[in-house]
Amino acid sequence: MAFSTVNKEVFGSEEAFATVKDLRVTFDSGKTRSYKWRVSQLKALFDLTEGHEKEIVASLYSDLSKSETESFIQEIAMLKNSCQAAIKELKHWMAPEKVKTSLTTFPSSAEIVSEPLGVVLVISAWNYPFLLSLDPVIGAIAAGNAVVLKPSEMAPATSSLLAKLLGEYMDNSSIRVVEGAVDETSALLQQKWDKIFYTGNGRVGRIVMAAAAKHLTPVVLELGGKSPVVVDSDINLKVATRRIIAGKWGCNNGQACISPDYIITTKNYAPKLVDALKTELEAFYGKNPLESKDLSRIVNSNHFARLTKLLDDDKVSGKIVYGGEKDESKLRISPTVLLDVPRDSLIMSEEIFGPLLPIITVDKLEESFDVINSGSKPLAAYIFTNNKNLKEKFVMNVSAGGVVINDTTMHLAVHTLPFGGVGESGLGAYHGKFSFDAFSHKKAVLYRSFFGDAPIRYPPYTATKMRLLKALVGGGILNIVRAILGMS
Ligand SMILES: NC(=O)C1=CN([C@@H]2O[C@H](COP(=O)(O)OP(=O)(O)OC[C@H]3O[C@@H](n4cnc5c(N)ncnc54)[C@H](O)[C@@H]3O)[C@@H](O)[C@H]2O)C=CC1
Ligand SMILES: CCCCCC(=O)O
C-alpha cells in the first residue's frame, strides 16, 4: 500500500529504511525523470495550495496565530509563484546546456546535462511551515527526484495538513511526508540519501551534516544569523522605518530567518530613528500591540522563555525605549525596541528570532562594517542610505547570504536571485532555477566522432609531436602553424 505519511508512534530506523527503499525503487524505474511526471507533480502542488487556502491559513493560525494576510502573502502566494515559475521554466531548465569545446578536442561538441540526484530528504522549520516545507520540494520534483518531506513538529497543525494534502494530491510512490520530531528525524538521517535539504538552526544543521557525511551525501543548510540593518541619516526616514518594521514584526513577529536582527546607526541619528519607529509602530499595531491581530504569537513557551531571558539580561536594563510588554498566557511579546545596547549583552550574542530590536550606536557609520564583520556571517544584511560610496562599500565589504539596499527581506521575492547563507548562516542556495540546480547533478558530456584521429596523441612520442602538443596546449592557430613548419 502506498501511503503518504506514517504513524508517528512506529517510525524508527526500519520504517525509515523501508520508506527510502520504496522511493528508490520508484526512482530507479525512471518514472520521476520524465518532463510529464515533473510537471504533473508541480501542478498537483499548485492545485493543493490553491484548493485549500482556508485550511492552510487555519493551520498557520493554529501553529503561530499568523494573520491571514501574512499567511496568504508570505506563504501561499510565494509558494504558488514558485510553483508557476518552475512549471513555466522547466523545459528550459531541463534542456542540456551546449558549451564551447577547444582545439584540443577538435572535432567535438559538448553539453552539460542536468541529472536528478535520486532520493532526497527535505527537513523543514516551524516559522514558515508551509512555504519552507514545499518550496524545496518544488526544486526536488522539478529536478526529477523522489522526495521525503519531514515538516517541523513545532508547527503540528501545518505538519498534519501537509501530510493529508500531499497524500491526496501527490504521487505517493515517489513523494512522501514523514511527520515527527527528533526521533523520526534521527531515524531518517541514518539512511543513505542523495541529498539532504535542511532548514533550521545551526546546532541541528551540524547534526544533519555529520549524518550526511557518513554517506558522503551533499547537503543544503538554510540556517540563520544576526541580520544587521545599517541606517544612515540622509534617508527618507518614514519609508525606511516602515520597511524595517515590515521586515521585522511584519514577518511572523520577527520569527523569520531574514528579519532585521539589530540596527546600527550613529549616536546623533538614533533619537530621530527611535521616534520614527515609535510613530510607525503605533500606526501599524495600535496602542496595545499585544492585542493586535496582525502580529503572530511566539511559537511556544520555550522560545517565549528564551526571548524573556534576553530582556532580563542586566546589561540591557533600562535600554527599552518602546514596547517590552509580555503576556505569557497568550505567548505574546509586543514589538520592543532597545537603544544603546552593549555589544557584549546576551541579545547581541545570539540570533534573536523574535520581536526584539536592539539598536547599537557608532560615532561614524563606516564603523558599522567592522561591527558586522566581527560576528559570524549573517543570512541577510541591509543598509538604508543615499550615499553611493557607502552602498558600494557595503556590498563589497559586508559578507552575507544576501544584501538589500534601502529595503529589507524583499530579495526573497526575486526568484532570479539565489537564497542561501554563507559561513554559519548556511550552505548552498535555492529559489527559482537555483532550486532545480540544488537537486541536480551537472553531468559533463563530450561528443566525438571517429573522424580526425590525430596520431600526435599516441606513442611513439617524438620531438615533432612534442612541439605540436606544446603548441596545441598553448593554443592559437599561429603557434600550431609555426610548430608544423618546425619554426618553434
Ligand atoms: N534559512 C532559512 O530559510 C531559515 C532558517 N531558519 C532558522 O532556523 C532557526 C529556527 O528554526 P528551528 O527552531 O531551529 O527549527 P526546528 O526546531 O523546527 O528544527 C528544524 C527541524 O530540525 C529537526 N530537529 C530538531 N532537533 C533535531 C535533532 N536533535 N536531530 C535531528 N533533527 C532535529 C526538527 O524536527 C525540525 O524538523 C533559526 O535559527 C532560523 O534562523 C528558520 C527558517 C528559515
Ligand atoms: C517572508 C518569507 C520568509 C521565509 C524565510 C524566513 O525568513 O524564515
Side-chain angles (χ1 to χ4, degrees), residues 74 78 127-128 131-132 251 255-259 412 419:
Q74 296 176 2
M78 280 186 76
N127 62 323
Y128 285 84
L131 174 73
L132 297 178
C251 286
Q255 298 167 110
C257 59
I258 52 167
S259 276
L412 256 68
F419 173 52

Side-chain angles (χ1 to χ4, degrees), residues 1-6 19 148-149 162-173 175-179:
M1 177 190 88
F3 44 73
S4 68
T5 185
V6 286
T19 301
V148 169
L149 166 65
L162 285 166
K164 171 175 168 284
L165 294 180
L166 270 72
E168 286 168 14
Y169 281 76
M170 310 304 288
D171 166 15
N172 298 146
S173 71
I175 299 164
R176 293 280 173 81
V177 176
V178 173
E179 291 192 82

